[in-house]
Amino acid sequence: MTRRRLTAFVVPLALAGFLLTAGGTTAQSRQPSQSPVDISPGAIRFDPGQPELTISYSHSDLDLEYVRKDAAASDGCSTRNHEETEEAVVRPGTGHVTLAGVRYELEQFHFHTPSEHRFQGRADPLEMHFVHRSAAGKLLVIGVPLRAGAHSTVDDVLAKLAPECGETVALEDFDLNSLLPRNRGTLRYNGSLTTAPFTEGVQWFLMSEQTVAPATIARFQGLFSGGNARAPQPLNGRHLTAVPQT
């Protein structure tokens, strides 16, 4: 693929909402294949021959809950640990993906501000992670940057945030498929969890952006005013594989 065509493919994935000035944590790891990463055009390889990622999402009720990391702290209910988030738990069997004959069940999706994956140092206001697990316990995560724009189903998920020390928010009959962008092209790489214990062996599939209303961004950033994103980790010679939508 020519550089011009590659750039045209990558730009929707470029996480170009704003220049990051704060909010990312500085946690580094001595492990070689950590996430998230800062994407540069030179690290991308085009390979349409990669196995297709088949996405099979249906409708599900959701439980939006606040994930706590400081439950033992006396002031935990009023402070924000940088690894805490809002997480939507899906009903078993309502979503899965298939890659090279292996099925990965969708367990939950959650949010970070600013976006954890960046493009040449730039980040979007939010990023959404769909976490899938195979029967063997292997993880596959779809990452979707969120930027200000037209209303989407994501706005409905984040219309009312769950409090840190309170009840979950019950949401009925969501079309999980509508949460993803229409463009299902991906940038793929092998990485890790972005929260402790930063386990490696996670397959990452980064998609193009989804839009959310500015009010939704402000609501989430108001809860996590210090950010809840991990800083980019070294690529250490890794490449990202660009696979267009089939």
Side-chain angles (χ1 to χ4, degrees), residues 3-205:
R3 180 172 295 275
R4 177 174 297 178
R5 290 179 59 203
L6 181 57
T7 300
F9 172 75
V10 172
V11 164
L13 301 167
L15 315 179
F18 58 88
L19 183 62
L20 180 68
T21 58
T25 69
T26 57
Q28 297 289 329
S29 172
R30 294 182 180 179
Q31 295 176 300
S33 301
Q34 290 288 291
S35 298
V37 296
D38 189 355
I39 304 163
S40 63
I44 298 171
R45 301 291 183 267
F46 179 72
D47 187 358
Q50 286 289 307
E52 180 181 0
L53 180 70
T54 302
I55 299 172
S56 302
Y57 285 3
S58 57
H59 287 246
S60 176
D61 293 342
L62 302 173
D63 290 321
L64 186 68
E65 58 186 34
Y66 189 103
V67 177
R68 295 190 65 190
K69 297 289 185 176
D70 56 5
S74 60
D75 61 349
C77 291
S78 59
T79 61
R80 300 285 173 259
N81 181 285
H82 68 271
E83 290 191 348
E84 295 178 338
T85 189
E86 294 278 334
E87 178 177 289
V89 180
V90 305
R91 298 295 183 265
T94 55
H96 70 273
V97 300
T98 306
L99 180 73
V102 179
R103 176 168 168 151
Y104 299 80
E105 299 292 336
L106 176 63
E107 296 183 340
Q108 48 94 350
F109 58 96
H110 60 268
F111 303 85
H112 296 274
T113 186
S115 62
E116 293 199 305
H117 289 90
R118 305 168 198 174
F119 188 83
Q120 295 185 312
R122 293 182 177 270
D124 274 300
L126 303 176
E127 185 173 340
M128 181 168 51
H129 291 166
F130 294 82
V131 180
H132 308 76
R133 189 184 304 270
S134 73
K138 300 295 184 181
L139 292 176
L140 186 155
V141 182
I142 296 175
V144 179
L146 302 175
R147 64 182 53 158
H151 178 281
S152 72
T153 310
V154 182
D155 289 293
D156 300 326
V157 174
L158 296 178
K160 180 181 179 182
L161 300 179
E164 180 169 0
C165 296
E167 297 296 323
T168 61
V169 178
L171 303 169
E172 296 183 355
D173 193 27
F174 267 79
D175 181 0
L176 299 176
N177 196 57
S178 69
L179 295 166
L180 297 176
R182 291 183 179 181
N183 181 355
R184 301 295 169 87
T186 56
L187 284 177
R188 309 177 179 187
Y189 79 100
N190 291 323
S192 73
L193 298 177
T194 64
T195 57
F198 308 112
T199 306
E200 294 190 345
V202 177
Q203 297 181 82
W204 279 93
F205 289 72

